[in-house]
Amino acid sequence: MRLLWAVAIIAFAVDQLTKWWVMYGLDLLNRGLIDVASPYLRFVMAWNRGINFGVLASGSDVARWGLIVLSIAICAVVVWWARRKTNAWFMFGAGLVVGGALGNVVDRVRFGAVADFLNMSCCGINNPYVFNVADISIFAGAGLLILMSGDDAERTARRSD
């Protein structure tokens, strides 16, 4: 469990520090757009009041607090699930999910919405979506949880065959 909490703290800190740096250090709040390596990487200030890609973005306080409660509940379930696991990659993934989710929870509490700023496009495809480090952590962590969610004993047995 120590690995889970260490990764969660690091993911949370990196998310919050990058948001602070971009919003206030680079003044993205006022500038709105910074071409970092256009068209591949741009910082675009966006406020997500919903889930991924603005799903459930009604903007109401009920939706906002509902998403906060849902995020905290998901974190609790992931931690509860992880307490029975011994696989380090599973713990790493769980830490990424928890740290990223809590980073977005802090945004919802502070700002009423999640601060997104990363926009990446490539190969002639113009990506209209904006995301943040917490979103990357949640996505990568969920992928690891899926890959590592099998029974640890079964995995160990298969390796020894």
Side-chain angles (χ1 to χ4, degrees), residues 5-29:
W5 291 114
V7 171
I9 290 167
I10 291 168
F12 175 84
V14 170
D15 172 65
Q16 292 296 298
L17 288 171
T18 56
K19 287 173 184 170
W20 181 89
W21 173 66
V22 170
M23 288 168 48
Y24 301 107
L26 297 178
D27 196 29
L28 189 63
L29 284 172

Side-chain angles (χ1 to χ4, degrees), residues 58-139:
S58 71
S60 74
D61 271 349
V62 172
R64 170 188 173 196
W65 289 102
L67 289 172
I68 289 169
V69 169
L70 179 63
S71 296
I72 292 170
I74 290 169
C75 289
V77 167
V78 168
V79 170
W80 178 82
W81 186 20
R83 70 181 171 77
R84 297 178 292 152
K85 298 289 186 177
T86 58
N87 183 297
W89 285 109
F90 186 92
M91 292 297 183
F92 192 86
L96 287 173
V97 169
V98 170
L102 293 177
N104 283 343
V105 163
V106 166
D107 285 7
R108 287 187 198 286
V109 171
R110 285 183 63 203
F111 307 118
V114 174
D116 288 335
F117 63 91
L118 291 167
N119 174 257
M120 302 175 88
S121 296
C122 179
C123 312
I125 298 169
N126 185 19
N127 175 20
Y129 298 108
V130 183
F131 54 96
N132 60 40
V133 173
D135 297 336
I136 296 167
S137 295
I138 294 166
F139 182 80

